[in-house]
Amino acid sequence: MSDSREGLESTLSLLARARAGDQVALSDLFARFSPALRRWASGRLPRSARDLADTGDLVQEALLSTFRNLSGFEHRGDGAFHAYLRQAVMNRIRDELRKAQHRPATTAVDMELPGTEASPVEVAIGAESLERYEAALGRLTAAEREVVIARVELGMTYSEIAAATGRNTANAARMAVARALVRLAEEMGERGQSPG
């Protein structure tokens, strides 16, 4: 974007006012140069280097930073200010590229996937229930404890439980497990209820 004689004077006038602290002049400078710089910068920042900021954000940051330090700009002819701003944007893009080289690679995360970790509430409830289960299990007889552990914790079939515990049939093991689970539930219920 080269400045015409009329535009050059207007830009120089805006610069003079902006250096004097005129916020309207700063806004006018931003509005004048931002669209062209966005078009120019578009595609110069590779997708792999983009983080939360896109190219438009980088242009805005570069312009704001430059406008805060207008005293560093020295006018050297037509198009000088635009070239100065373009260089500021290019420097900002280079900074992003350097940062991207030191950042670990990112992958997209499907936010619809269910989590596999227990929530803090599930952990707390689970821990309390586990403590109650362990305490109740300790109050069962050795034979009851053995069939509960075989079925609940080890996931053994009734046939496997019958063979492991010396019962004649899978049905006999099923009945022993059922009786032991009723006792376990009673023990957990009685000790798990708060008074009152």
Side-chain angles (χ1 to χ4, degrees), residues 172-184:
R174 180 180 294 115
M175 293 301 291
V177 169
R179 283 191 297 269
L181 287 174
V182 167
R183 280 255 306 123
L184 179 69

Side-chain angles (χ1 to χ4, degrees), residues 97-164:
L97 289 170
R98 277 191 291 275
K99 277 196 250 180
Q101 290 173 348
H102 299 290
R103 203 173 355 197
T106 59
T107 56
V109 175
D110 183 357
M111 299 308 284
E112 299 300 316
L113 288 177
T116 56
E117 300 286 325
S119 72
V121 171
E122 291 170 325
V123 170
I125 291 171
E128 180 182 321
S129 294
L130 183 60
E131 288 174 14
R132 286 180 39 227
Y133 166 77
E134 292 289 345
L137 195 61
R139 291 189 293 272
L140 299 180
T141 66
E144 291 169 332
R145 194 169 33 253
E146 184 179 20
V147 294
V148 167
I149 291 171
R151 183 69 179 157
V152 173
E153 296 183 31
L154 302 177
M156 294 171 73
T157 66
Y158 293 115
S159 296
E160 292 170 332
I161 294 171

Side-chain angles (χ1 to χ4, degrees), residues 31-53:
R32 176 174 294 173
F33 290 102
S34 181
L37 287 167
R38 281 193 176 125
R39 283 191 303 274
W40 177 82
S42 179
R44 283 185 164 74
L45 183 65
R47 186 174 300 278
S48 62
R50 293 180 196 162
D51 193 7
L52 296 176

Side-chain angles (χ1 to χ4, degrees), residues 15-32:
L15 278 169
R17 288 176 33 215
R19 283 180 171 154
D22 186 336
Q23 294 300 310
V24 173
L26 278 176
S27 293
D28 289 347
L29 284 169
F30 188 85
R32 176 174 294 173

